[in-house]
Amino acid sequence: MKLPRTVAVLGTLTLLATTLVGTAAADDRPDRPGRGPERDAPAVGAASFAELARTAQRSGHGNGRGGGTTGGAIDMPRAYPSQPDLTVYPPEDDDATDLNGTISHAEIAPRLTALMASSDRVSTQVVGRSTAGRDLYLVTVTAPESRRETAQQTRWREEIRTSPERAATDRRLAEGYKTPLWISANIHGNEWEGTDAAMQVIDDLATSDDAATAALLEDHRLYFSLTLNPDGRTLGTRATSLSLDANRDMITGATPESRSFVATAQALQPLYAADFHGYTDVLQVEPCGPPHGENYEYDLFIPHGYAIARQVEDDVVAAEIPGNTYYDPATDEAVDENTGFIKIPYRDTPSGWDDYPPIFTAQYAAFHGATTSTVELPKGRTGPATTPEDAAVNTAVAKRTMTSMIDYVAGHDDAMLADQIEAFRRGAAGEPKDALTVDDVAAVPGPDEWKQHWDVVDDQDPVDLPRAYVIPVGDEQRSAADAEALVDQLLFHGVEVGTLARSTRVGGTTYPRGSFVVDLHQPLRGLANALLDLGTDISARVPSMYDISAWSLSSLWGATVDSVGSTTDRPVGKVVPLRGEPSDARVPHGARHVAFDVAGVEDYRALNALLEEDVPVWLLDDGRAVVGRGDGRTVREVAREHDVPFEAATRQELRRLDEAAELDDLTVAYAGTQDDLLSLTELGFDDLVRVTAGGIEAGAATGTTGLEDADVLWVGSALTLPAGGAGRAAVQGWVDDGGSVVGRTAAAFAVAETYGLVEGSAVTGNRSGNGIVDVDTAGSSFLSAHPQDQAFVYPATWFTDLGEGTTAEQSYDADRPFLAGHWAPSGTGSGGPDAAAGHAAVVSGEAESGARAVVFGTSVFFRTHPKGGLGQAAQALFWAASGD
C-alpha cells in the first residue's frame, strides 16, 4: 500500500537496534533437472543496524559498483524444469507470520522442494538475497522445455526488444513465443497474504490434470516472486532490515531487494506484471488515476490495464468470498454487502493514487514493456498483524485476483504482445511523442468506459523528447566520479549508453572524445528519459502527492548532463556502444605525491579509505586532494577499488600544501534517521557514533556523551537539550573546544544556533512539497570548488534574518526556485516556492574557538538518492572539521 509520507515507514525516526543478518552462502552449482537433498542454512544471528548499513554499502549499495545485482545479471535456466537444491532456513522465534498463520520464509524452501519433486512444471531459482541474507525466490511454472526450446524462447524475447519491427511480422514468434506473466507477492513485509495466494496458485497449476491448464502452460511462462522482503515478512515490518521501503527504491537501488526486482524485470520482460500489497479496506486494482508518468506509451498501457481490473472486479464479485468487502461508489467507502464493485483508481479516484514516479514496482516494470497493476488487499491489521480470519479472506481474494489476471492474459496475449512490441518499436525508431494520451485508441475486448476518464487533469500536455543526453568528460564535467556512477546506474537499468568515437560539436558545444551518449532512439527510451529528464512542475495539476514527484539522475546525481536536440534530429556523431562499466583508475609511476579531484561520492569514499590507512592527504581550496604516497600499495588499492585516476601532483599544488589543511580520519557523531546513517556510510565515514538527547544528558556527568572523541556532529533530526542542564553544558563545552556542527533542516539550525555558531531564522515550507530546486552557490563558498546548480527538497527549508557572521553559502534562485515536482503553498497560502526565492539554502558560521557550522536547507540525504547532495555534505564535514 502506498501511504502518505507522514505515516510511511521510510519516515520513521526509530532505528533498529538489532535485526537479523544472514550467514547462508550461495550455492554456485548450475541449475540442473531433477532434485537433490535440501541443504540446511546456518543459524541467523543478530547484528546492529550500523553493521547492516556497512554490509549493504559493501555489496553495492547506492553506487552502482562493486557487487550486488547488476543489469542483466540474472542467469536464467537453460531448460525447464530447473530444480536446484534450496537452502533451508531454520524457523525464527517470534516470527511475525505466527500472528496470522501465513507462510513463513523458513517454510518456503521445503514447500517448493516438495512441489518440484512432484511436478516437472515447477522450477525455482534464487535471484538475490535480502539485506539480512535470506534467499529471494523466483518460481517459474510452465510446460517442460528442452535446451533447444528454451534457447529459442530467449532469442524471441531478445528479438521483441532489440528488433521490434522484425518481431512484429515474425509468424514463428507469434505462434511459438510463450508469453511471460509475472506476479510479485510480497515486497512490503507486513502485507503478507500475496505469498500464500501465490503458493496456492502454483500448487494448483503444478498438480492440475485438466486440458485448459496444460494448454495454458504450453503457451505461457508464469513467474512468481514469492517474497521480495523476507526480512520484513519475518520481523513484521513494512520496510527492509535497512529501514528502507524497497517499493520506493527502484530508481536508486539502495536495497538488494529492489536491485533484485530490477534485474528480474529485465530478465523476464513480462507481458503483464502485478504486485500484491495491502490494506485499503476493499480490494483495489490499478490502473492509476492522474498524474500519469509522462514517459509511458499510455495509449498502449491503459486499455488492457483497465480491462484486467474490470475482469478482476467481475470475477471477485461473482466469487462472493465470505468476509470480503466491496466498494460503494455512492459513498466512496468499503461496505460488507456485495455492491458489484471493487475499487479501480483510474475510475474511482480522481487524484491521489497515481502512477507518476517510477520508484514503485508496477510503475517501474511498465518501462520494460509490461502492462502492470498494483493490487491492494482489503482486510487490514488488528494490532501488529491481520488476524488469522482476515488473513484467510485476503488470501482467498488474492488467489481469485491472480487467477483472473492469468485468465485475462491467456485470452488476450496476442494483442498484448503486439502492444509490447509496438512500445519497443516506438522507442527504437525515436518517434515523436506528441501527447501522453490520444483520442483514437482502439478498444480492446471488454469494457471501454475508461475513455471517459482519458483527458482528466491535463493528460494531453505535449511530451518533448530530446535526441540524446550527453554526459561530457574532461573540463566541462563537474565530477568524473559522479558521471561514471551515473553511467553505471544507467547500465544497471538496461539503458543503452555509448561513447563518442571522436570530438563532436553538437548545438554549439564541442564534446570531447569518450563523452557518454544516451541516444533516445532505443527500445527502453521511456525508462531512459524517465531517469534523465528534469521532470515537470505538476503543482497545479493535483492537490497533493504521496511520494516524490521528481527524481532526475541528471539533475541530482552530481554529474554534468546535457539534453541535446529533438527526437527527430540526426544522430549525435559516431557513437560506440559501451559494453561494460567505465573505468579510468590509474596511479602514475614514480611520483612521490599524487593528486585527484574530490567532487563526487566515490571520490569521498576514496579519500576516507586513504585516511583510514593513515595516508597523508591535504585538501586544497579548489577541490584537489594531494596525497603523500607513503605505502604505494595502499594508493594503488584505493585507485583500483574506487576507480580513481590519480595524477602526479604539480609543483604549484605542492607549493600550496603549507596553506592547505591536512585531513584527519574523522569520527562523526550523528543524531538522525536511517537516511543519515546510510548516507554517511556510503560516503565512507566508518567511525560513526550515534548520539541522542537522552544519551547526552545521561552521560554528561561521566563524560560518556558520545561526543568525547568526535571531530564533528552531524544533525539530521531534533537534538534538544534543556537549558541549564548538564547535557547542554557538555555540548557547549565540546563546541568551545572546537567541535563543529553540520546537518540538515531546521533541527540542525536550532542546534547550531543554540551553541552560538549561527544566527537567524529557519523556515520550513509545505512539508509535502518535494522536487528539484534551482540553487546559486556563492563564489566565495567552500562549495564553489565543484558547485551544483540543482538540489532536491522534501521539504525545503530556507534561512532568513541572518546575523553577523552567518554566511549564505548557497541560495534558492530568486526568479524560479522550483523546477520540477510538486510543491504548492500550504493551506494558508504560505510555504510555497515563492516564499523561498532568493533566500539562503545553505548557511555557515564560525566561533572564536574555531568551531564551525554548516546547515543545509536542501535534502542532501534522502534515501541516499541525491548523490550530488551526498558530495556536498561530505564537503561540509571536512570543511567544518578543519576549522580549528
Side-chain angles (χ1 to χ4, degrees), residues 133 177 450 881:
Y177 183 54
W450 51 266

Side-chain angles (χ1 to χ4, degrees), residues 336-381:
D336 293 331
E337 63 270 18
N338 192 335
T339 63
F341 293 97
I342 66 169
K343 193 167 190 178
I344 302 173
Y346 192 81
R347 178 189 66 192
D348 302 320
T349 307
S351 67
W353 200 276
D354 63 85
D355 53 18
Y356 195 67
I359 59 175
F360 313 115
T361 48
Q363 280 65 44
Y364 180 85
F367 285 118
H368 288 275
T371 298
T372 65
S373 303
T374 295
V375 178
E376 300 286 346
L377 299 175
K379 310 293 281 189
R381 303 177 197 88

Side-chain angles (χ1 to χ4, degrees), residues 42-416:
V44 178
S48 69
F49 184 90
E51 177 58 29
L52 282 178
R54 287 189 288 270
T55 300
Q57 185 277 316
R58 287 194 299 267
S59 67
H61 156 58
N63 63 9
R65 298 172 183 270
T69 305
T70 57
I74 290 179
D75 292 326
M76 298 301 290
R78 297 185 179 90
Y80 290 92
S82 176
Q83 298 178 326
D85 301 340
L86 298 178
T87 298
V88 177
Y89 291 80
E92 295 287 344
D93 295 334
D94 300 321
D95 193 311
T97 58
D98 293 340
L99 298 173
N100 55 20
T102 52
I103 297 170
S104 71
H105 182 264
E107 294 178 271
I108 293 176
R111 291 195 183 196
L112 291 176
T113 297
L115 271 172
M116 290 189 292
S118 64
S119 175
D120 62 1
R121 297 172 174 176
V122 179
S123 302
T124 304
Q125 61 195 109
V126 174
V127 292
R129 283 173 182 80
S130 69
T131 300
R134 294 181 173 90
D135 286 345
L136 308 179
Y137 305 107
L138 178 68
V139 178
T140 306
V141 185
T142 194
E145 298 171 16
S146 67
R147 280 178 170 256
R148 181 176 180 181
E149 290 169 330
T150 298
Q152 180 60 70
Q153 292 296 321
T154 300
R155 287 192 292 271
W156 279 331
R157 185 183 69 239
E158 292 297 310
E159 180 182 328
I160 289 167
R161 187 183 74 257
T162 62
S163 303
E165 287 195 358
R166 185 172 69 206
T169 59
D170 189 332
R171 298 177 68 177
R172 290 184 64 238
L173 184 156
E175 294 172 359
Y177 183 54
K178 298 173 76 170
T179 49
L181 183 152
W182 182 23
I183 291 174
S184 174
N186 172 231
I187 194 169
H188 284 153
N190 60 356
E191 297 166 9
W192 291 274
E193 294 88 355
T195 300
D196 295 68
M199 286 296 294
Q200 291 181 18
V201 172
I202 292 168
D203 188 81
D204 290 348
L205 294 170
T207 59
S208 174
D209 57 4
D210 66 87
T213 299
L216 172 72
L217 300 182
E218 285 290 339
D219 294 338
H220 302 82
R221 287 185 189 162
L222 307 181
Y223 297 102
F224 299 86
S225 293
L226 294 177
T227 173
L228 283 170
N229 186 4
D231 302 347
R233 184 178 187 85
T234 303
L235 294 166
T237 60
R238 171 186 176 91
T240 71
S241 293
L242 283 178
S243 287
L244 288 177
D245 188 333
N247 199 40
R248 301 292 187 273
D249 189 38
M250 296 307 145
I251 297 303
T252 308
T255 63
E257 294 85 356
S258 66
R259 293 198 295 272
S260 175
F261 182 91
V262 168
T264 304
Q266 293 178 43
L268 304 189
Q269 196 173 290
L271 200 64
Y272 177 71
D275 195 36
F276 279 71
H277 292 260
Y279 304 99
T280 50
D281 296 327
V282 65
L283 176 65
Q284 178 172 287
V285 180
E286 293 183 356
C288 289
H292 304 297
E294 297 162 326
N295 289 286
Y296 300 129
E297 301 297 334
Y298 219 72
D299 59 315
L300 303 176
F301 178 89
I302 189 64
H304 287 290
Y306 188 84
I308 287 171
R310 284 286 285 107
Q311 177 160 318
V312 169
E313 181 175 64
D314 291 345
D315 290 346
V316 171
V317 164
E320 294 192 325
I321 297 166
N324 192 25
T325 56
Y326 302 89
Y327 178 64
D328 183 354
T331 63
D332 190 32
E333 293 180 350
V335 296
D336 293 331
E337 63 270 18
N338 192 335
T339 63
F341 293 97
I342 66 169
K343 193 167 190 178
I344 302 173
Y346 192 81
R347 178 189 66 192
D348 302 320
T349 307
S351 67
W353 200 276
D354 63 85
D355 53 18
Y356 195 67
I359 59 175
F360 313 115
T361 48
Q363 280 65 44
Y364 180 85
F367 285 118
H368 288 275
T371 298
T372 65
S373 303
T374 295
V375 178
E376 300 286 346
L377 299 175
K379 310 293 281 189
R381 303 177 197 88
T382 301
T386 49
T387 65
E389 295 76 17
D390 285 345
V393 174
N394 284 339
T395 299
V397 171
K399 181 180 180 183
R400 190 66 191 97
T401 300
M402 290 177 187
T403 57
S404 180
M405 291 169 165
I406 293 169
D407 290 345
Y408 183 92
V409 175
H412 303 89
D413 54 355
D414 288 346
M416 295 178 74

Side-chain angles (χ1 to χ4, degrees), residues 475 477-479 558 560 596-600 604 619-625 656 777-788 809-810 871-872 875-876 879:
D475 293 341
Q477 179 52 251
R478 193 203 75 86
S479 168
T560 301
F596 69 107
D597 283 323
V598 182
Y604 282 103
L619 189 60
L620 307 180
D621 57 11
D622 62 358
R624 292 277 285 178
R656 293 165 59 193
T777 302
S780 59
S781 172
F782 69 88
L783 295 173
S784 65
H786 300 286
Q788 299 185 56
E809 304 285 346
Q810 193 176 81
Q872 288 191 329
Q875 276 182 283
W879 179 82

Side-chain angles (χ1 to χ4, degrees), residues 563-583:
S563 171
V564 299
S566 177
T567 189
T568 55
D569 290 348
R570 298 177 62 184
V572 180
K574 183 178 180 181
V575 175
V576 179
L578 185 62
R579 300 301 183 189
E581 294 181 354
S583 175

Side-chain angles (χ1 to χ4, degrees), residues 469-473 476 500 502-517 560-564 572:
Y469 291 91
V470 180
I471 306 169
V473 297
E476 298 306 312
L500 286 175
R502 60 181 67 92
S503 294
T504 304
R505 192 166 181 81
V506 182
T509 301
T510 299
Y511 293 101
R513 177 179 179 272
S515 294
F516 303 105
V517 176
T560 301
V561 183
D562 294 340
S563 171
V564 299
V572 180

